[in-house]
Amino acid sequence: MTDRLSGFRILILEAREEAQFARLLAEQGAEVLQCPMFTIRDAPDSSQVEDWIRRCIRTPHDDLVLTTGEGLRRLVKAARQIGLDQEFITAVGQARMFARGPKPNKALREIGLEATITTEKPTSEGIAEMLARFDLDGHRVGVQLYPDRDHSALLGKIKAQNASIDPVVPYIYDASAAEANIVEAIGEMADGRVDAVALTSSGQVRRLVEVARIHGCEDRLRAGLDRTKIASVGPVVSEELKTYGLRTDITPANDAFFMKPLISAMAVEFDRTST
């Protein structure tokens, strides 16, 4: 079915796949209000990332933990820039690969690989629980991390299994994204001109609240969210909303934490509430 979202205005805060998300929503008839929250950039110290890639090629990891699809794509890009992408992909394929949810596994498939194990819960806690079921004694574990998050608990649990860890953070979030646009989006919600805000990462929740506090409009943000449907792509985002005392109105069913199921869930909710 098409035009399931005709007549509804959806605010999206996606940065990595914003164009694709906007297209999918528009195909369902939605009016899309786009507000990128930040820009993703390569890690400023490329030498650390390149050294990690060379270590991986020289001595492939016994186990490799991939926390984001973006991270793996950035690593492959960095390897390509130094002429080692095929060697890197081969080395990655030699490891037992643990994916934090479906997005890293999608990135693996793009280079012809498949995760050995994908977490049932796409969280760092889910990764730690999954790794606890395996013998890591004496293993060398590569860990691809993502920015703006304290990963010490996850790394500590891996170390506690008598494994050596080799972490890398291949990208950063540029927090200098146009805050004026975020404030304007908050105003659109507060003035009742948005039917739903679609959240696809926990960082978007934190950034919304952070910018609202910086600009003295947190009350306006909360008032806007009170009158706007909050759509969450999955449990990680919903848990982040809870930490700020915010609710989730819409989320995909059956553990399908992707953009298309999120769009379908919004269409079902709007159909239910409009009849």
Side-chain angles (χ1 to χ4, degrees), residues 62-63 96 135-141 161-165:
D62 299 300
D63 301 292
R96 181 170 57 179
D135 181 10
L136 302 183
D137 188 14
H139 284 213
R140 182 166 162 270
V141 182
Q161 292 181 251
N162 199 31
S164 63
I165 58 171

Side-chain angles (χ1 to χ4, degrees), residues 14 32 39 68 109 111 122 143 163-164 203 232 237 246 261 263 272:
E14 182 65 47
V32 184
T39 299
T68 64
R109 292 193 190 104
I111 56 173
V143 188
S164 63
S232 161
V237 176
L246 299 170
I263 291 169
R272 183 186 68 82

